[in-house]
Amino acid sequence: MLSLQFSLPPFENRRSRSKSKLASPNLHDRSCSCRNVMHFLPSISLPKSRIFATAADVVVEEKKRNESVIGPGAPVKKEIFPAGLRRESMPKHVAVVMDGNVRWARKRGLPPGSGHEAGVRSLRELIELCCKWEIRVLTVFAFSSDNWFRPKVEVDFLMSLFEKGIKEELENFVRENIRISVIGDSSKLPKSLQKLITDTEEITKNNSGLQLIVAASYSGQYDIVQACQSIAHKVKDGVIQPEDINKSLIEQELETNCTEFPYPDLLIRTSGELRVSNFLLWQLAYTELFFARSLWPDFGEADFVEALHSYQQRQRHYGGRDP
């Protein structure tokens, strides 16, 4: 779904992007700041020269845009919490289907990779906002099990980018107190990447800031199937009886057992598509859904605030009625 360094033209319709990029929030009350964290999620295949040759252009362009807004060296007003949002009603777990990167690029006459790089920048901003606003878990759909049907050369390139990015950003994860968890059918990943993921999860497991769950080679249907298989083996081995099987037991066998908050409070999907695309099917049973029309690279702070406002205006009954 996502990629690494690609050259971007001046951004359009980024809405609140420049404002959020300029802020340098005081996060001493929160144990992670999440700046410059996300460079590791992969995307489509492009020659390496297109990936790394113009990475500096992106930084220069963003700096020019920022200075045109407030002027170089101008003081930045710090905003810790948006007006209108209730801190006590913030979701603990937000899940995101990041959709629309390729369409974003096509609209601008750019190669698909440019859209995925813009999507990485949106994800980095979202991580920072989740930390700043004390959201505990962010789960992102990075690579679907269906993506394995792409051409082999493309998949191999994606895996190499994934591995390279984790190696480069591991120090940042530790410093920013971010806990990394990866869910999905890891048996399909390259052996070296499997080991790197295991090491990264082990190194960051005691971090107490934002937990970033990356769904790679993930399928909601597969998640339920593997949970059933695990339970079936326990019944066969006499560890449990069939009548012991209940909702709680299944929850313990799902891959989201890596977090204290396995059920997302809010699911956001971008690009106007109205489906969940085989993502966290069991876990979304009572999740509030928000479908944004913005393509993922255009999804910024204003869009996230809109989604959170919508979430906070809803009453969650879990099958019950108003008192």
Side-chain angles (χ1 to χ4, degrees), residues 89-241:
S89 300
M90 294 294 284
K92 291 181 174 64
H93 184 168
V94 174
V96 182
V97 177
M98 304 171 290
D99 192 23
N101 293 345
V102 174
R103 275 172 282 175
W104 184 92
R106 287 174 179 167
K107 285 176 61 177
R108 291 157 177 78
L110 299 171
S114 295
H116 288 288
E117 163 59 15
V120 169
R121 295 166 65 83
S122 293
L123 179 54
R124 188 185 309 123
E125 178 181 350
L126 183 62
I127 291 170
E128 181 177 341
L129 293 173
C130 286
C131 291
K132 184 168 62 173
W133 297 342
E134 301 181 358
I135 291 168
R136 299 294 303 278
V137 181
L138 173 64
T139 300
V140 296
F141 206 1
F143 190 86
S144 167
S145 60
D146 294 329
N147 294 150
W148 291 112
F149 294 104
R150 295 178 180 181
K152 184 177 185 303
V153 63
E154 178 181 332
V155 171
D156 289 345
F157 186 62
L158 297 181
M159 296 299 105
S160 66
L161 288 181
F162 199 176
E163 185 168 345
K164 181 177 184 293
I166 293 177
K167 290 177 180 178
E168 291 178 347
E169 295 301 326
L170 180 56
E171 184 177 339
N172 283 336
F173 298 149
V174 174
R175 182 176 60 251
E176 305 296 347
N177 199 29
I178 296 173
R179 179 184 173 191
I180 303 298
S181 301
V182 179
I183 61 175
D185 184 3
S186 61
S187 67
K188 294 185 178 181
L189 301 175
K191 297 297 184 183
S192 58
L193 181 54
Q194 292 181 39
K195 182 179 186 307
L196 182 60
I197 289 172
T198 299
D199 292 343
T200 301
E201 291 179 328
E202 178 66 22
I203 291 169
T204 64
K205 69 179 182 179
N206 293 322
N207 288 354
S208 58
L210 174 72
Q211 182 175 6
L212 175 63
I213 301 177
V214 180
S217 186
Y218 180 83
S219 157
Q221 293 171 332
Y222 164 80
D223 197 3
I224 296 171
V225 169
Q226 66 83 27
C228 293
Q229 290 174 340
S230 178
I231 293 172
H233 283 299
K234 291 180 179 180
V235 172
K236 180 181 178 181
D237 295 339
V239 177
I240 60 174
Q241 297 300 314

